[in-house]
Amino acid sequence: MKQLSGLDAGFLYMETATTFGHVSGLAVYKRPSADFAPYDQFRTRVESRLGILEPMRRRIVPVPLDLDHPYWVEDPDFDIDFHIRHIAVPSPGGDREVADLVGRIIGRPLDRSRPLWEAYVIEGLEGDRWAVLTKFHHATIDGASGAEFMTLLLDASPDANDEMPPAPKPERVPTPAEMLFRTASQNMTRPLRMAKAQQRLIKESFDLFSERRGEWLTPRRENSELPATPVAPRTPFNQSISGHRRLAYATASLDEIKAIKNAMGATINDVVMAVAAGALRRYLLKHDASVERPLVAGVPVSIRTGDEQEKWTNRVSMIVGDLPVHLDHPLERVAAARASMAAAKENFDAVPADALQDFSQFSPPAVFTAASRLATEFRIGDLGQQTINLVISNVPGPRETLYLSGAPLVHYYPVSTIAEGQGLNITVQSYKDIMDFGLVACRDLVPDLWDLMDMVQDEIAELIAATTMIRAATPDRKPAPKKKAAVKKKAAVKKKAPAKKKAAVKKKAPAKKKAPSS
């Protein structure tokens, strides 16, 4: 039995009738043969790998009266057929039909009396394809561990047949009295654990200051104009949300995204932010909304070090950056996104985020839960300004083709979550040489989500055209192989030259040695 961390438990406390804590993914496969049975193959695969996929076996055991964070226990009543469902998409089985089906499924909460996941094997997709929609609660995995989960479930080759360890024995669910006794014992050690957390925070803060003292004490003119606390402007999707969801998805070329980032001296994440800014600018103008100020985006960042003892937990924090919807030119938006993200990362690096997460363990669960419910009841999304307008996430995925019982994975569309007052989420996941975009929104606030998805694709096309002109104007100046051959030929001629010329060459050689290197 393991206790949830404060951050993991926080995703449970945030849930209300309209806000859900699960994150999802839509994996699209190609049928390898006519007699391939997707449901049977997927069910067999999951059952065979329960020994290495802990999040599929464990369920929540709450502490009475929410006196402490809940615990995970190996479910003694695990029923795989409850979790894996078999459905079909309506004809003609295109992207719109699949997205509508997924939107309805993700608008329902997970059953907390069972392990917090569901999987839907979906048949009837056009092009001889089939799909699996997975729903996992954010309390059990984050983006990085979710990507690792996918690689453990799937194979690196179509004919792989690895032997897997058996699932551990189920545990007895403790009684409420036993949970109260455990909580009382935990509370006795709470002051000591809090003191250790404070010591760690002080030490890491001091170490960080020692490393960056000179950098911090040097005035930075470019950062002086940045606002200390961002305030997100109002938009059509920054209102109280309902429990209904919409999904739209599409695919971009990873090579084209890389070409844009190389031309601009940016990162892939900078390009994703700029693409989102350009698409949202188009969307806001279409709806007669203001684009005079930048939007504010929350960007999840992994703080995993690789030394974590617990793999299946959240190790994620968030940085906040501007989305330059106020700029008209796409290249200006890339430059502005790059500058904003650089400043946001600098501010993030100035805080020991890993040590700060220790303090979330001491947050009172009952207070957190009551606050979430009050926010929904009083429709706080309609009352005041939000700290951020939306969350934009970029998750790196595997670079090689993955398979499920011989069926190649073609796409993995991320299907994330939204929160009260923030009715839109943009998440991107790379896979092989593509980037799959997944847009999730409140069905009532963003009824034309596919239009926004089209605008994302239009923005990428415009950036490709603009950066192609930049690359054409700055050709590669590196010497070609033919020029190197010509140099060698001239050297041979000099060797056969008269003695006077040789001496002249030798005389010039010392001068070349003394010249400073560039």
Side-chain angles (χ1 to χ4, degrees):
M1 193 164 68
K2 302 175 184 176
Q3 188 173 30
L4 277 72
S5 70
L7 180 58
D8 292 344
F11 289 107
L12 291 173
Y13 306 149
M14 66 171 277
E15 285 198 305
T16 65
T18 59
T19 302
F20 312 121
H22 54 258
V23 289
S24 306
L26 180 65
V28 180
Y29 298 88
K30 187 76 174 176
R31 194 185 296 267
S33 61
D35 59 347
F36 185 87
Y39 175 81
D40 295 337
Q41 294 291 344
F42 182 78
R43 187 189 182 285
T44 300
R45 170 54 55 91
V46 171
E47 194 170 31
S48 68
R49 306 211 170 182
L50 288 174
I52 61 173
L53 299 176
E54 183 182 338
M56 288 185 151
R57 308 185 313 259
R58 62 190 189 182
R59 54 164 284 198
I60 289 287
V61 180
V63 174
L65 304 177
D66 287 337
L67 295 177
D68 201 356
H69 300 313
Y71 289 77
W72 294 117
V73 63
E74 293 282 340
D75 187 8
D77 301 313
F78 180 73
D79 179 7
I80 192 171
D81 292 317
F82 172 84
H83 296 277
I84 301 179
R85 291 95 187 270
H86 193 192
I87 57 176
V89 68
S91 179
D95 291 341
R96 300 291 179 109
E97 289 78 23
V98 174
D100 285 346
L101 177 65
V102 171
R104 296 181 186 280
I105 293 173
I106 63 174
R108 300 195 294 260
L110 290 165
D111 184 349
R112 291 200 185 183
S113 68
R114 299 175 181 270
L116 295 178
W117 68 276
E118 295 172 354
Y120 294 79
V121 179
I122 307 172
E123 296 198 59
L125 278 69
E126 62 182 1
D128 203 26
R129 300 175 303 156
W130 59 283
V132 176
L133 171 69
T134 52
K135 284 171 59 177
F136 275 89
H137 205 286
H138 215 320
T140 195
I141 57 174
D142 58 15
S145 58
E148 182 174 357
F149 182 95
M150 184 171 67
T151 61
L152 290 175
L153 180 64
L154 304 181
D155 299 319
S157 65
D159 53 356
N161 189 21
D162 299 330
E163 189 172 338
M164 295 292 160
K169 293 181 180 180
E171 298 177 277
R172 181 182 64 85
V173 177
T175 64
E178 290 173 324
M179 295 302 295
L180 286 173
F181 180 79
R182 179 182 287 268
T183 299
S185 302
Q186 286 278 84
N187 287 340
M188 292 177 65
T189 63
R190 186 180 293 267
L192 178 61
R193 288 184 288 121
M194 184 175 285
K196 287 182 178 179
Q198 289 173 333
Q199 283 182 334
R200 182 187 177 193
L201 179 61
I202 293 170
K203 180 183 181 301
E204 291 195 10
S205 299
F206 180 79
D207 292 344
L208 195 59
F209 178 78
S210 300
E211 290 175 10
R212 305 184 62 183
R213 180 180 177 186
E215 182 183 344
W216 286 347
L217 295 180
T218 302
R220 286 183 171 263
R221 188 176 179 184
E222 66 270 22
N223 288 347
S224 61
E225 298 177 0
L226 293 173
T229 304
V231 177
R234 300 290 290 179
T235 74
F237 48 82
N238 290 124
Q239 302 176 47
S240 285
I241 64 174
S242 71
H244 308 297
R245 300 291 183 263
R246 288 187 188 273
L247 168 69
Y249 57 83
T251 300
S253 165
L254 182 57
D255 288 340
E256 290 179 343
I257 299 294
K258 286 181 177 179
I260 296 170
K261 70 106 175 169
N262 291 339
M264 296 298 296
T267 66
I268 289 179
N269 196 62
D270 296 336
V271 177
V272 170
M273 295 288 284
V275 167
L280 288 169
R281 174 183 170 84
R282 297 166 190 252
Y283 185 83
L284 293 173
L285 289 174
K286 175 189 173 184
H287 289 270
D288 297 322
S290 173
V291 292
E292 294 180 359
R293 293 171 49 200
L295 299 187
V296 183
V299 182
V301 293
S302 175
I303 58 172
R304 291 183 181 274
T305 63
D307 298 326
E308 288 84 7
Q309 294 181 350
E310 179 57 50
K311 179 193 303 183
W312 306 114
T313 187
N314 282 271
R315 302 298 297 169
V316 65
S317 188
M318 183 174 286
I319 61 177
V320 177
D322 287 344
L323 279 179
V325 298
H326 62 299
L327 299 177
D328 181 60
H329 198 282
L331 298 185
E332 290 181 357
R333 289 195 287 268
V334 177
R338 180 184 62 186
S340 175
M341 292 307 296
K345 289 172 186 173
E346 184 177 328
N347 293 335
F348 178 78
D349 290 341
V351 178
D354 191 32
L356 281 174
Q357 281 203 353
D358 289 348
F359 284 94
S360 63
Q361 195 67 24
F362 306 108
S363 59
V367 174
F368 202 129
T369 303
S372 297
R373 290 172 181 168
L374 285 173
T376 300
E377 185 176 345
F378 287 100
R379 300 179 63 84
I380 197 171
D382 293 337
L383 298 180
Q385 289 181 313
Q386 300 292 315
T387 306
I388 61 174
N389 292 103
L390 73 161
V391 172
I392 300 178
S393 184
N394 175 26
V395 181
R399 290 289 174 265
E400 303 297 330
T401 303
L402 297 178
Y403 301 84
L404 192 148
S405 301
L409 176 67
V410 182
H411 293 283
Y412 187 84
Y413 297 108
V415 185
S416 196
T417 188
I418 56 176
E420 174 63 19
Q422 297 159 18
L424 175 65
N425 176 286
I426 299 176
T427 301
V428 184
Q429 178 149 339
S430 59
Y431 170 58
K432 297 198 304 180
D433 56 353
I434 59 176
M435 293 190 77
D436 288 327
F437 283 71
L439 276 57
V440 175
C442 170
R443 187 178 184 88
D444 303 319
L445 297 182
V446 191
D448 50 353
L449 188 61
W450 280 103
D451 289 349
L452 179 57
M453 188 71 258
D454 291 340
M455 293 171 187
V456 167
Q457 294 177 296
D458 292 342
E459 185 67 16
I460 293 174
E462 190 169 345
L463 277 170
I464 291 169
T467 52
T468 298
M469 295 176 64
I470 292 177
R471 294 194 297 275
T474 55
D476 189 0
R477 295 179 179 273
K478 289 182 180 180
K482 286 184 179 179
K483 290 183 180 180
K484 288 182 180 178
V487 171
K488 285 181 182 178
K489 192 174 181 182
K490 287 182 181 178
V493 172
K494 283 186 180 180
K495 231 175 183 182
K496 295 177 183 178
K500 266 188 181 180
K501 288 187 180 180
K502 281 184 182 178
V505 172
K506 284 181 182 178
K507 195 173 181 182
K508 287 180 183 179
K512 284 183 181 178
K513 284 182 182 178
K514 290 179 184 177
S517 59
S518 57

